[in-house]
Amino acid sequence: MKLQLGYIDINDIKFDKNPRIENGVLYVDPDALVASVLQDELIKDAHFEIAKPGESIRITPVKDVIQPRVKVEGPGGVFPGMVAKETTVGSGVTHVLRGMAVVTAGRIVGFQEGIIDMSGPGADYTPFSKLNNLVLVIEPQENFKQHEYEHAARMAGFKIACEIAELARELSPDETETFESPTIKESFENFPGLPRVGYVQMLQSQGLLHDTYVYGVDAKRIVPTIISPTETMDGAIVSGNCVSACDKNTTYHHQNNPVVAELFKEHGKTINFVGQIITNENVYLADKIRSSDWSAKLAEYLSLDGAIISQEGFGNPDTDLIMNCTKIEDKGIKTVIITDEYAGQDGKSQSLADADPKANACVTGGNANEVIHLPKMDKVIGTLDYVDTIAGGHQGSLQADGSIIAELQVITGATNEMGFNKLSAR
């Protein structure tokens, strides 16, 4: 499959009655976008705000982060099975609004939501502080069920991202990149002398509000399967979960998966990037055994020499991670795992809930229990009402002066297990 991404650089966002992209500036009509959001009867009210890099702004609680993209050539559309029809994506031409994101925020869905600081020490821990963010703040109707509100908030973010991306349909990109994923036959023929490497991506699927969607299907309902890496770049996988903010894979993470990007970068040079296996993270032991068996079987089927395995979440999924790792190693395939650590505030506790000597090559996203002091910001988008109760916070996290003392867990993307940040551990 061959996919071309055309990047439209967005250097600023402004409100204007005439929506357009002009000279690197995105102009949006907030009233028109709010009217679109309010078509969902579960949403009582909504408004938009703009947060730019370096501003004294705190966004919380953050639900999702989404990069606007539009399919301009080829089959399918962005977010297939969610917004577009369930047509296979990953080929053709897609335009990408680079340098910005749509962020959904507002009343909390689950206790595992997060914070994005646009400046100060907290900004160094989240990649989203470097983006121009159009923030959709949602107020739900009363007497809703949590999973219904989560669905409404998720779909509102996707809808707005798609509407904004339409402004880029006819534009000439500032830069283009082409990615091509080979067939199995081609992967053997094209680079016979290079090690065959694959990517095993674990998708969060531990239960209600811990959901990831593949072509609109909850990952709890899938068995491990092979997917083209270009499909993930084209919106086939999206976030619908409320796991701890620090290691939650937002939709933006899936769209810009750095493991996929780096493997493509080395493809044909130092490695033969054969493809991607997606698997789920299960609650019951029997399901963990089944899925990890399938992941190992698929890795062997692709005749991999090496595999990178990324996790999402911590605790229970650590068992899935180690099962995937050990079973793939038992097939004679070398593995590297990407995780983060919950080693206690002093860093002295066991980092993972499971371990094995075969898991001897590990990339860590850092210790999520590390305590950080976030100074008061001049402006809050959303509400601070939940700071004490989100994962990583505690009673008294929100200080009287408006500053916050909490664990890194509260910062969206701080210890991301795709390696989508600069934090590690030593």
Side-chain angles (χ1 to χ4, degrees):
M1 300 180 78
K2 187 175 182 179
L3 176 68
Q4 182 184 94
L5 297 182
Y7 301 105
I8 313 295
D9 288 328
I10 303 299
N11 304 313
D12 198 2
I13 304 175
K14 295 182 180 181
F15 291 140
D16 194 285
K17 287 294 183 182
N18 177 26
R20 65 196 186 280
I21 297 172
E22 191 173 86
N23 298 322
V25 180
L26 170 66
Y27 296 90
V28 296
D29 181 353
D31 295 332
L33 293 178
V34 164
S36 180
V37 171
L38 293 181
Q39 290 177 9
D40 189 323
E41 59 185 23
L42 274 181
I43 299 176
K44 180 171 68 177
D45 197 11
H47 71 275
F48 285 89
E49 305 219 27
I50 298 169
K52 304 175 185 179
E55 292 184 327
S56 182
I57 292 178
R58 174 164 294 144
I59 311 169
T60 186
V62 172
K63 166 60 189 161
D64 199 5
V65 184
I66 307 155
Q67 184 173 55
R69 299 187 172 197
V70 59
K71 173 68 67 177
V72 298
E73 184 182 309
V78 176
F79 308 133
M82 306 296 284
V83 178
K85 291 183 178 180
E86 297 83 353
T87 306
T88 301
V89 295
S91 60
V93 180
T94 298
H95 284 180
V96 180
L97 272 61
R98 184 168 64 180
M100 71 147 300
V102 172
V103 177
T104 48
R107 192 195 299 188
I108 201 164
V109 176
F111 69 92
Q112 293 173 308
E113 304 286 12
I115 295 171
I116 296 173
D117 278 359
M118 299 303 294
S119 63
D124 293 334
Y125 289 92
T126 175
F128 306 122
S129 64
K130 286 75 174 175
L131 301 177
N132 291 288
N133 293 311
L134 181 65
V135 186
L136 168 58
V137 183
I138 299 172
E139 179 64 27
Q141 300 285 1
E142 302 300 328
N143 302 318
F144 61 86
K145 293 181 179 178
Q146 280 181 295
H147 68 280
E148 294 173 333
Y149 174 35
E150 189 281 324
H151 178 267
R154 169 167 31 102
M155 294 307 298
F158 295 156
K159 186 176 183 181
I160 293 304
C162 288
E163 290 184 18
I164 290 171
E166 282 293 335
L167 299 173
R169 179 178 290 277
E170 304 298 331
L171 297 182
S172 297
D174 296 293
E175 181 187 359
T176 61
E177 280 188 293
T178 301
F179 304 89
E180 190 164 5
S181 188
T183 64
I184 293 178
K185 181 174 181 287
E186 290 169 341
S187 75
F188 278 106
E189 293 176 344
N190 293 349
F191 305 105
L194 294 178
R196 297 172 59 80
V197 176
Y199 172 37
V200 180
Q201 182 180 7
M202 295 168 52
L203 305 177
Q204 178 57 243
S205 56
Q206 287 180 275
L208 192 62
L209 301 181
H210 289 66
D211 307 314
T212 306
Y213 294 89
V214 182
Y215 283 96
V217 176
D218 191 328
K220 289 188 289 294
R221 295 169 51 199
I222 72 169
V223 293
T225 189
I226 298 170
I227 189 172
S228 169
T230 59
E231 291 176 78
T232 69
M233 295 173 134
D234 224 9
I237 302 175
V238 299
S239 174
N241 69 57
C242 302
V243 298
S244 290
C246 63
D247 53 20
K248 167 181 178 172
N249 290 333
T250 67
T251 297
Y252 190 102
H253 286 105
H254 290 296
Q255 294 171 299
N256 297 275
N257 189 314
V259 180
V260 169
E262 287 298 315
L263 288 174
F264 266 128
K265 193 177 295 183
E266 293 302 314
H267 178 59
K269 299 175 184 176
T270 61
I271 63 166
N272 183 353
F273 181 22
V274 175
Q276 181 174 352
I277 298 166
I278 54 172
T279 184
N280 46 21
E281 299 175 350
N282 298 286
V283 176
Y284 297 108
L285 180 59
D287 295 325
K288 293 177 183 292
I289 293 171
R290 182 187 303 109
S291 287
S292 54
D293 281 349
W294 277 56
S295 295
K297 176 182 68 174
L298 291 172
E300 182 181 41
Y301 173 73
L302 292 173
S303 299
L304 298 183
D305 297 306
I308 297 174
I309 309 170
S310 70
Q311 178 185 13
E312 183 176 12
F314 69 98
N316 187 295
D318 292 348
T319 299
D320 301 82
L321 176 68
I322 297 302
M323 281 186 170
N324 282 315
C325 172
T326 56
K327 291 179 181 181
I328 292 173
E329 286 273 348
D330 287 341
K331 299 289 187 181
I333 301 166
K334 297 296 183 182
T335 64
V336 174
I337 61 174
I338 311 176
T339 182
D340 63 354
E341 302 177 51
Y342 286 76
Q345 294 184 359
D346 59 3
K348 296 180 180 179
S349 298
Q350 179 174 317
S351 296
L352 299 177
D354 200 355
D356 191 279
K358 294 173 185 173
N360 59 5
C362 176
V363 175
T364 172
N367 179 18
N369 295 134
E370 181 182 340
V371 176
I372 187 170
H373 181 266
L374 304 174
K376 178 185 177 181
M377 295 282 118
D378 292 340
K379 181 179 180 179
V380 174
I381 298 178
T383 176
L384 295 174
D385 293 350
Y386 307 101
V387 167
D388 286 359
T389 56
I390 58 177
H394 59 269
Q395 191 64 39
S397 279
L398 181 60
Q399 304 291 291
D401 63 357
S403 64
I404 297 170
I405 298 176
E407 295 181 347
L408 281 180
Q409 281 191 74
V410 304
I411 300 178
T412 303
T415 62
N416 181 262
E417 294 163 292
M418 290 178 179
F420 201 113
N421 215 356
K422 298 179 180 178
L423 187 64
S424 189
R426 63 181 180 181

